[in-house]
């Protein structure tokens, strides 16, 4: 039995009132089919915040080092998180991500690869473009806006899916596709 629904409600009960989370654009989120959810990354709380605000279960990649912590490893796996070795091409993580999308699930992805120390949107890594171009998933940009300060407002904005037909037919590179995704996230950050 999955702990996900129970854990999601517990985490939501803590984070939503603490950070006064406001969610915008849920109507943009596809109700079915694979979704590559690309989000800026400003805090360690980003995955749980996305997990409690998205209308569907979100699977995430997490740095492989976290899977070396005995209790945490089991929790992460139960929540649908899988390891990725950062700093190079991790073929197993890429295969797992594509499988998640092919099975019609939601893959939460932080294109920057690590948290922004300044809060500004950083440069995206090619993984986002890879998943966008190698799958038939909808690509949904998302922005987490605000400081993670107790009792101030944190906004989570889901944008409209990017029209991938245009880019898949033009044969853009993974770097170009990542840049397009990052521009869509940047637009949401200005809202």
């Amino acid at each position: 039995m999955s702990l996900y629904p129970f854990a999601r409600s517990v985490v939501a009960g803590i984070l939503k009132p603490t950070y006064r989370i406001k969610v915008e654009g849920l109507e943009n989120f596809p109700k079915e089919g694979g979704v590559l959810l690309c989000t800026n990354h400003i805090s360690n709380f980003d995955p749980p915040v996305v997990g409690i605000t998205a209308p569907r279960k979100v699977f995430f990649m997490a740095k492989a080092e976290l899977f070396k912590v005995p209790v945490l490893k089991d929790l992460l796996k139960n929540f649908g998180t899988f390891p990725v070795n950062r700093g190079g091409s991790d073929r197993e993580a890429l295969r797992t991500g594509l499988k998640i999308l092919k099975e019609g699930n939601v893959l939460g992805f932080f294109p920057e690869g690590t948290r922004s120390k300044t809060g500004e949107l950083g440069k995206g890594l090619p993984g986002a473009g890879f998943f966008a171009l190698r799958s038939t998933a909808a690509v949904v940009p998302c922005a987490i806006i605000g400081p993670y300060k107790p009792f101030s407002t944190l906004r989570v904005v889901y944008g409209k899916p990017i029209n991938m037909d245009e880019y898949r037919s033009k044969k853009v590179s993974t770097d170009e596709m990542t840049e397009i995704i990052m521009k869509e996230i940047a637009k949401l950050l200005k809202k």
Side-chain angles (χ1 to χ4, degrees):
M1 183 174 136
S2 173
L3 288 176
Y4 192 88
F6 173 73
R8 186 178 195 262
S9 64
V10 169
V11 171
I14 297 167
L15 294 183
K16 282 186 175 182
T18 302
Y19 296 114
R20 294 188 180 160
I21 297 171
K22 294 206 182 317
V23 184
E24 301 167 31
L26 279 179
E27 69 279 2
N28 296 321
F29 208 101
K31 290 182 177 29
E32 55 188 34
V35 175
L36 176 63
L37 179 60
C38 295
T39 307
N40 63 315
H41 200 4
I42 58 174
S43 168
N44 284 329
F45 286 121
D46 293 341
V49 164
V50 170
I52 64 172
T53 60
R56 295 170 55 191
K57 180 177 179 175
V58 182
F59 293 79
F60 287 101
M61 285 184 178
K63 59 185 177 181
E65 295 84 4
L66 295 176
F67 288 82
K68 292 178 180 161
V69 180
V71 176
L72 186 58
K73 172 179 81 172
D74 294 333
L75 280 174
L76 289 171
K77 284 182 180 177
N78 198 290
F79 297 147
T81 304
F82 61 98
V84 61
N85 290 305
R86 299 185 305 169
S89 178
D90 182 339
R91 290 182 190 274
E92 185 59 33
L94 295 175
R95 277 193 290 274
T96 301
L98 286 174
K99 182 175 184 271
I100 287 166
L101 294 170
K102 187 177 182 181
E103 290 174 350
N105 294 306
V106 180
L107 176 62
F109 198 79
F110 299 102
E112 296 160 283
T114 190
R115 291 180 318 280
S116 167
K117 291 182 177 35
T118 63
E120 299 293 315
L121 188 63
K123 180 173 172 40
L125 300 173
F130 171 85
F131 286 119
L133 295 171
R134 290 284 181 97
S135 71
T136 57
V139 179
V140 175
C142 175
I144 300 170
I145 305 166
Y148 275 91
K149 282 188 182 170
F151 313 113
S152 61
T153 301
L154 184 75
R155 293 170 54 219
V156 180
V157 183
Y158 292 100
K160 292 183 179 176
I162 298 168
N163 181 356
M164 290 302 299
D165 295 338
E166 179 185 340
Y167 302 113
R168 288 179 180 135
S169 65
K170 283 184 182 175
K171 305 275 191 232
V172 297
S173 72
T174 55
D175 288 332
E176 290 169 320
M177 190 66 238
T178 296
E179 202 170 304
I180 291 161
I181 292 168
M182 296 307 286
K183 284 179 182 170
E184 293 300 317
I185 296 170
K187 286 181 198 172
L188 295 176
L189 286 168
K190 292 176 183 165
K191 285 191 167 196

